[in-house]
Amino acid sequence: MYKLLSSYKMMVVVLFALAMGAAIATFIENDFGTAFARKNIYHALWYQGLLLLSALNLLLIIHRTKLYKQLPKFIFHLSFVLILIGASLTHFLGDDGVMKIREGSSSHVYFSNDKSHEVILPFALRLDDFELTRYYGSRSPSAYSSHVTILDKAQHDASYTISMNHPLSYQGYKFFQTFYDPDEKGTILSVNHDPGVEVTYAGYFFLFLGLLLNFFDTKSRFRKLMQRVRATTLPLFLMLVCVSQMPLHASEYIDTYMQEHRDNSKELSASFGELVVQSRMGRMKPFATLSQEVIYKISGKKSLYDMDATQIVLGMFTRPTIWKKIPLIKVKTPKLKHFIGLDTHQSLASFSDFFENGQAYKLEAEVQKALALKPSQRGTFENDVIKVDEKLNITFMVYQGLLFKIFPSPQSTNHVWLDFEQMWQSVDTKESEALRKRAKAFLDTMFSRDYAKANAYVEDFAQYQRTYGYAIMPTQQAVKQEIMFNKVMIFERLTLAYMGFGLMLLVVSFGRIFKPKAFSPSWDKPLWIVVLLLFSVHTLGLGARWFVSGHAPMSDTYESIIYIAWSCLLFSVLFLRKSLLALSGSVLMAGIFMFVAHLGHIDPEITNLVPVLKSFWLSVHVSIITASYGFLGLGCALGFFTLILFIFKPSSVDKTIKHLTDINELTLLIGLVLLVIGNFLGGIWANESWGRYWGWDPKETWAYISILLYTIILHVRLLPKFYSPYLFAVLSVLGYASILMTYFGVNFYLAGMHSYATGDPVPIPLWVYGCCTLVAVLISLSFNNRNLKENNEEN
């Protein structure tokens, strides 16, 4: 029994069972709810028994292999047992709930979430004042806090402030700012009593310490792999330009207007683009940025008809009758195109195409039907109807000028800025009357296409902004820098460069293997320098977006994807410059991620942060965990290349396969370390923000599954009867499916699984990845029977 419980086979079986149980639970939760999944899987006796068995197995392996003689490994592995003990204390002895208090009132009870009853505290909290601040000119909260007094008979009353990410700790209880009453006169606090927090945090500390020491331990697997990679030198420009332009089908009058507007409004566009506008969430940004965001939202492009976004938006506002006939609105599904009478080969429709005789809205009934369905029941047609309806609303707001909040309101206490319609209706003052006259004159000159004269009024608007809005306006230099950042389009251009140069590197790499005389080693350094330049440009782009947004560029989907692409290159540039295959894999993976970021369904708009995201721990958590996706993605690419080599496998490839396997293992090792650290830092953030480490949310559950699977992949080498470089390559490719499920699948699949019955398409990154993996594995299997045996003998 001891031999079985302390075996690596038992470890692999238990970890795989934990991963599969959690994976199944996410699908069960999607169909039957969170409570059902927790009761029957996460909190079930059999799953908790597996967790206990995994801890026992780990302790026995530590004893049998005398791992305690290697301090870094011992500290690292034992920390998981400590974390599990802390989690058990929290689960079985802890409690959490919700407390609601109105201003001027006090409370000494909270409602327990798990035990479904009120819990009486040995003290009370009085809410003296609830404070909510919003982003300038918007209803979006910037921060909210509760000023409370602790009422404790045993001690003097004490006042504290509870805010997002700044909880109150008292007598073993923690109070977290969660939400507030609609009238903003009451607060909603999360209450947490956690007797296992010290043990859990001690486990985190030893986990991070063990991982850090492991990198410096000369006997560690990491150091051995680094030495082998450095001791071997491996043989490690297609620029794809696709420019499409929509043909303009309109009357001769419209053609004349479009030609004149395109040629004569450039100077006006440049000056108007430098005006500051207040966004719906209160962010102050150049009008050029707003214009680009609007055009991208409705058309999927940043310019059209040889005009920049500001030219188009100004035209739409000042001559809506004409622009309603111009194709601007992107429609995806053939069914919707047919429904509105659009040719299936056209991708853009005009505003007028959606109205019957200029009055009846063609999509009115379809929108109501689509909105009545649950998200999981909507197909591509219904989703496209909802998205197009949103685009039409945005387009209408542009025609009405409702998005153009460029006029500061001198009477506003919250620095609210006004659009044209609000400005017409604002309080009558001498200044506002003069502004109305200039605005009317501007619109008149725009209608008559006197762009030079209209440009003179733009300076009047700019002066008005400087006079009444200077307190919250960005500097003129910051405005110009943001406009330049938008024009350069660093990340869009890098996508083409990564894909093209990555393919070139791949050709050279395989050419070096099969035709070594045709591909000189003297190419290696220049090729690495090009990769370094691309990486440097990417780094500058991230820095520029950080400067423009005012926060680390990892707060939304778009930013995290371009950060993952950056992390794909980081390790290769620093340590794998001698391996062209590794470089080509990292560049191609970076290109793939960048391509995904610019597919069109991911919004690149820079926005203000919601209060819960204003946390140091969140920034560290996101940066580390998304960086791990880049390393694991590189491992997937290296595994894919290894499988290709297994197809041909001439005698000269054996050393290449072995070396690629070493690089792959090293890359996955770093990726897993970052994934583990990132997840546990996320636990710290969650615990400090709302009082829980783990909530079995599908996204965090799939991150946990990824950790288990990659732990198995990296420990398979301890099973010599099963291990081979081929098996490791297959697992490194297949393992990345868990990362894609974590990042994309949870949103696309679990949010709408039933959409497959209605024809909803699989997201492009997943089906491309799935097809390529299936082809590579199937082809390799047909050639691999002999190779698997040979490699088993070698290991």
Side-chain angles (χ1 to χ4, degrees):
M1 180 63 71
Y2 173 80
K3 185 176 180 181
L4 175 63
L5 289 176
S6 63
S7 67
Y8 294 124
K9 289 182 181 178
M10 175 62 73
M11 176 193 69
V12 171
V13 170
V14 172
L15 292 180
F16 187 76
L18 287 170
M20 289 302 99
I24 293 170
T26 59
F27 291 93
I28 290 176
E29 180 180 359
N30 183 74
D31 291 334
F32 300 101
T34 302
F36 186 88
R38 290 188 178 186
K39 179 182 178 181
N40 292 279
I41 296 184
Y42 300 133
H43 295 171
L45 186 61
W46 68 268
Y47 199 81
Q48 293 177 354
L50 283 175
L51 289 170
L52 178 61
L53 183 58
S54 68
L56 178 61
N57 171 253
L58 182 56
L59 288 172
L60 292 176
I61 288 177
I62 290 173
H63 178 265
R64 182 174 62 82
T65 60
K66 299 181 179 179
L67 204 62
Y68 46 79
K69 292 184 177 181
Q70 302 177 52
L71 188 60
K73 291 182 181 179
F74 175 67
I75 293 175
F76 164 60
H77 286 86
L78 192 63
S79 67
F80 286 104
V81 179
L82 201 59
I83 291 170
L84 190 58
I85 293 173
S88 299
L89 291 173
T90 300
H91 178 69
F92 292 107
L93 303 179
D95 191 25
D96 63 274
V98 177
M99 174 184 282
K100 297 183 178 181
I101 318 175
R102 297 288 293 177
E103 283 186 352
S105 302
S106 63
S107 176
H108 65 284
V109 299
Y110 69 88
F111 188 81
S112 173
N113 292 329
D114 293 332
K115 300 174 182 176
S116 300
H117 67 272
E118 289 187 343
V119 178
I120 300 176
L121 297 172
F123 56 90
L125 291 185
R126 183 182 68 227
L127 179 63
D128 300 320
D129 183 42
F130 178 78
E131 183 180 2
L132 185 145
T133 58
R134 303 182 187 277
Y135 285 110
Y136 295 133
S138 78
R139 298 292 297 170
S140 301
S142 172
Y144 38 89
S145 57
S146 302
H147 302 281
V148 301
T149 298
I150 299 176
L151 306 177
D152 190 344
K153 295 180 180 179
Q155 299 184 27
H156 295 292
D157 297 349
S159 298
Y160 291 90
T161 298
I162 306 172
S163 61
M164 190 63 70
N165 300 314
H166 294 88
L168 163 65
S169 297
Y170 190 74
Q171 291 192 9
Y173 291 89
K174 262 191 173 183
F175 299 87
F176 304 84
Q177 183 66 64
T178 303
F179 205 59
Y180 51 89
D181 291 342
D183 63 357
E184 302 175 18
K185 295 294 183 181
T187 188
I188 301 176
L189 304 174
S190 292
V191 185
N192 176 259
H193 176 60
D194 184 4
V197 62
E198 290 84 4
V199 179
T200 302
Y201 278 2
Y204 288 176
F205 171 77
F206 287 116
L207 170 69
F208 301 154
L209 178 63
L211 288 172
L212 181 63
L213 293 175
N214 196 56
F215 283 119
F216 297 98
D217 182 13
T218 56
K219 297 180 180 180
S220 70
R221 181 71 177 171
F222 174 79
R223 292 295 294 271
K224 290 178 181 178
L225 288 169
M226 283 296 293
Q227 290 171 4
R228 281 155 58 175
V229 168
R230 287 173 175 173
T232 309
T233 301
L234 248 198
L236 196 65
F237 188 77
L238 301 174
M239 290 298 291
L240 306 176
V241 180
C242 179
V243 181
S244 60
Q245 190 70 22
M246 284 294 300
L248 180 61
H249 300 288
S251 66
E252 184 177 345
Y253 175 76
I254 294 178
D255 286 340
T256 302
Y257 164 80
M258 292 292 286
Q259 180 67 41
E260 189 173 342
H261 185 72
R262 177 168 50 245
D263 297 338
N264 299 335
S265 65
K266 294 179 180 178
E267 185 178 349
L268 172 66
S269 169
S271 58
F272 205 96
E274 292 185 3
L275 291 178
V276 176
V277 64
Q278 191 175 70
S279 72
R280 56 189 172 83
M281 288 188 66
R283 179 172 179 259
M284 310 304 295
K285 56 189 175 184
F287 189 86
T289 298
L290 173 71
S291 300
Q292 195 173 89
E293 291 168 352
V294 166
I295 297 303
Y296 187 80
K297 284 178 186 293
I298 64 177
S299 70
K301 300 178 182 294
K302 293 188 176 180
S303 62
L304 284 168
Y305 308 118
D306 292 327
M307 285 183 276
D308 63 40
T310 306
Q311 287 179 284
I312 297 171
V313 168
L314 283 175
M316 293 171 66
F317 174 51
T318 57
R319 298 297 296 269
T321 305
I322 293 178
W323 282 90
K324 285 180 180 180
K325 300 175 183 177
I326 307 298
L328 293 173
I329 301 164
K330 187 173 184 177
V331 182
K332 292 183 178 180
T333 58
K335 183 177 179 181
L336 183 53
K337 292 178 183 179
H338 176 75
F339 187 85
I340 63 174
L342 189 69
D343 189 281
T344 55
H345 298 293
Q346 285 185 255
S347 61
L348 299 181
S350 69
F351 189 84
S352 301
D353 288 332
F354 295 92
F355 295 87
E356 196 74 49
N357 300 322
Q359 295 181 345
Y361 182 32
K362 295 180 181 179
L363 298 185
E364 184 173 4
E366 298 301 322
V367 170
Q368 296 303 319
K369 291 179 184 177
L371 291 174
L373 295 173
K374 295 180 180 178
S376 61
Q377 297 175 328
R378 296 171 187 162
T380 50
F381 175 73
E382 288 79 13
N383 285 327
D384 201 20
V385 166
I386 293 173
K387 289 177 182 177
V388 167
D389 182 68
E390 180 185 0
K391 293 173 184 176
L392 286 168
N393 284 322
I394 294 173
T395 306
F396 180 77
M397 293 173 75
V398 174
Y399 292 143
Q400 298 295 314
L402 301 179
L403 298 177
F404 306 163
K405 293 187 175 184
I406 62 173
F407 304 111
S409 174
Q411 292 80 27
S412 173
T413 57
N414 192 36
H415 300 285
V416 174
W417 286 33
L418 311 176
D419 57 44
F420 276 86
E421 183 173 331
Q422 293 169 327
M423 183 266 297
W424 302 128
Q425 302 171 1
S426 62
V427 178
D428 286 331
T429 63
K430 182 179 180 181
E431 292 79 7
S432 63
E433 185 61 32
L435 178 63
R436 291 190 191 106
K437 289 181 180 179
R438 294 189 184 97
K440 184 178 184 304
F442 170 77
L443 295 177
D444 290 341
T445 53
M446 284 293 295
F447 187 84
S448 61
R449 289 173 289 195
D450 189 350
Y451 297 107
K453 192 172 182 179
N455 201 19
Y457 292 110
V458 175
E459 177 54 34
D460 293 335
F461 299 157
Q463 183 59 45
Y464 188 85
Q465 289 187 344
R466 290 191 291 268
T467 302
Y468 297 103
Y470 68 91
I472 61 172
M473 281 179 60
T475 64
Q476 190 65 23
Q477 182 182 3
V479 168
K480 290 181 180 294
Q481 288 172 340
E482 181 168 347
I483 293 173
M484 179 57 66
F485 175 74
N486 294 334
K487 287 182 177 179
V488 172
M489 296 192 298
I490 293 176
F491 301 121
E492 290 87 342
R493 299 178 193 277
L494 275 176
T495 302
L496 297 176
Y498 280 147
M499 295 298 289
F501 193 69
L503 289 172
M504 178 182 174
L505 278 175
L506 191 61
V507 170
V508 174
S509 301
F510 280 101
R512 183 78 57 76
I513 296 171
F514 298 104
K515 298 281 187 180
K517 293 182 180 180
F519 297 90
S520 171
S522 61
W523 296 8
D524 291 6
K525 188 172 182 178
L527 291 174
W528 178 81
I529 290 175
V530 174
V531 175
L532 180 62
L533 288 174
L534 291 175
F535 177 75
S536 301
V537 172
H538 199 147
T539 305
L540 288 174
L542 287 173
R545 189 172 175 101
W546 192 333
F547 174 80
V548 168
S549 65
H551 56 76
M554 292 167 277
S555 63
D556 56 37
T557 303
Y558 177 81
E559 291 178 344
S560 62
I561 291 178
I562 60 176
Y563 177 75
I564 292 172
W566 178 84
S567 67
C568 281
L569 285 176
L570 177 62
F571 184 66
S572 292
V573 168
L574 294 178
F575 301 108
L576 302 178
R577 56 180 295 181
K578 294 182 179 181
S579 174
L580 285 187
L581 270 175
L583 278 177
S584 63
S586 62
V587 173
L588 279 174
M589 285 303 294
I592 290 171
F593 276 109
M594 296 289 280
F595 176 72
V596 170
H598 297 97
L599 280 176
H601 62 275
I602 297 175
D603 191 354
E605 179 183 357
I606 295 174
T607 58
N608 288 324
L609 294 178
V610 296
V612 73
L613 298 183
K614 296 178 178 179
S615 167
F616 166 77
W617 291 113
L618 174 66
S619 300
V620 178
H621 154 66
V622 172
S623 63
I624 291 178
I625 200 169
T626 49
S628 75
Y629 297 165
F631 283 93
L632 298 174
L634 175 56
C636 173
L638 294 174
F640 192 88
F641 294 161
T642 305
L643 291 178
I644 294 175
L645 291 177
F646 267 110
I647 297 174
F648 304 100
K649 202 176 183 302
S651 58
S652 60
V653 174
D654 289 345
K655 290 183 178 180
T656 302
I657 289 177
K658 186 174 292 186
H659 187 71
L660 267 184
T661 302
D662 287 342
I663 296 177
N664 195 355
E665 185 180 347
L666 182 63
T667 304
L668 294 187
L669 183 60
I670 296 174
L672 179 59
V673 168
L674 293 174
L675 185 61
V676 170
I677 292 176
N679 270 276
F680 284 110
L681 285 175
I684 293 175
W685 165 60
N687 191 52
E688 294 302 316
S689 293
W690 52 77
R692 67 158 179 82
Y693 310 95
W694 199 263
W696 294 110
D697 172 84
K699 209 167 190 68
E700 61 190 17
T701 300
W702 272 98
Y704 155 73
I705 293 168
S706 298
I707 290 174
L708 294 176
L709 292 178
Y710 275 100
T711 300
I712 293 173
I713 292 170
L714 286 169
H715 286 79
V716 165
R717 64 182 178 82
L718 300 175
L719 303 173
K721 291 184 179 180
F722 299 96
Y723 178 79
S724 72
Y726 169 77
L727 177 63
F728 187 79
V730 171
L731 292 177
S732 66
V733 175
L734 296 178
Y736 203 62
S738 65
I739 299 298
L740 289 179
M741 186 66 187
T742 303
Y743 196 81
F744 293 105
V746 168
N747 298 328
F748 285 100
Y749 286 74
L750 297 182
M753 287 174 56
H754 301 292
S755 59
Y756 296 111
T758 56
D760 207 18
V762 182
I764 288 178
L766 295 178
W767 70 255
V768 170
Y769 168 83
C771 291
C772 292
T773 301
L774 181 62
V775 170
V777 172
L778 289 178
I779 294 177
S780 298
L781 281 173
S782 64
F783 287 85
N784 197 61
N785 291 331
R786 176 177 60 84
N787 297 337
L788 182 60
K789 183 177 180 181
E790 290 175 357
N791 282 297
N792 272 330
E793 293 171 355
E794 293 175 3
N795 285 278

